[in-house]
Amino acid sequence: MKNIVFGIIISGVVAALSFTVGSCSCGRGEKTQELDDSTKLALEMEKRMKAQPEFEMVTSHGTMKIRLYDKTPQHRDNFVKLVEEKFYDGLRFHRVIDGFMIQGGDPYTKDTSLVAKWGTGGPGYTVPAEFVSEYHHKKGAIAAARLGDMANPRRASSGSQFYIVQNERTCAQLDGGYTVYGEVFDGLEVIDRIAAVPTDRRDCPYEDVMIISVRQIGLPEAEVADEPADSTQATDTTSRP
């Protein structure tokens, strides 16, 4: 994590100093207080950005800004890890349903020769469900895809696949069944543009709808590994909410 420069605390003024010197010391004290207040603000901002990190997702149809929630920490921390590994860069939105949602995050979608596997890939693990009643499938909500209840009674989430709500009304049925862990707070129109692209009978866009990059914003960029881990492992997750 990034280093933070702390303000310097100046000691009190010796009583024997003259009025003029005392006045200068008072000014330094005010400056010290300003520095201290600035440091406190920086610390508070860093704390908030760790609890609710924000990201910029650049797609072939525009840029969205995303904020993750603090009450779903396992999903939040997993997303942060994947972004630091550049896991999502170069993936496609492989399932798009106008009037419902758009979905991506499958590493198989980097390879057009693996179209038959699109919707089945992930990082090789799942994330335990984190249902929070106050988090709903509102427009722009980000939630985790998962296997159906029969194969996945604990409703564990895919390790990487996510969907973004386009229509709150049609997605309301998913509340309490899929983990909602963030939201798009800027760029909602991009969701509509992606949802409007023509698709085949499997809801797969005919054109490539790319996730060009995902980067954390609000804090200096974290160091990332030169070579991210292999991201084309099959998992026991599914692409269907």
Side-chain angles (χ1 to χ4, degrees), residues 68-104:
L68 302 187
Y69 297 146
D70 57 348
K71 294 183 181 179
T72 48
Q74 294 182 85
H75 286 73
R76 175 199 63 198
D77 294 349
N78 179 62
F79 191 91
V80 169
K81 178 183 76 71
L82 293 178
V83 168
E84 290 178 348
E85 294 171 354
K86 299 185 179 181
F87 181 95
Y88 290 114
D89 295 8
L91 302 189
R92 292 170 169 83
F93 281 96
H94 64 276
R95 186 168 178 245
V96 169
I97 303 177
D98 194 14
F100 189 44
M101 58 90 225
I102 63 176
Q103 189 167 333

Side-chain angles (χ1 to χ4, degrees), residues 165-229:
V165 174
Q166 185 206 16
N167 188 303
E168 179 175 350
R169 181 180 58 83
T170 57
C171 286
Q173 61 183 311
L174 305 177
D175 283 346
Y178 294 78
T179 297
V180 177
Y181 63 95
E183 64 181 75
V184 173
F185 68 89
D186 186 44
L188 291 172
E189 70 280 359
V190 177
I191 304 171
D192 294 327
R193 286 201 289 267
I194 293 175
V197 302
T199 60
D200 61 21
R201 60 185 180 82
R202 297 175 59 245
D203 303 316
C204 183
Y206 285 114
E207 65 179 85
D208 289 336
V209 182
M210 306 298 300
I211 300 174
I212 297 171
S213 66
V214 185
R215 296 290 181 270
Q216 187 169 359
I217 57 178
L219 289 176
E221 284 192 15
E223 294 182 2
V224 296
D226 293 334
E227 295 294 335

Side-chain angles (χ1 to χ4, degrees), residues 4 123 126 189:
I4 298 178
T126 58
E189 70 280 359

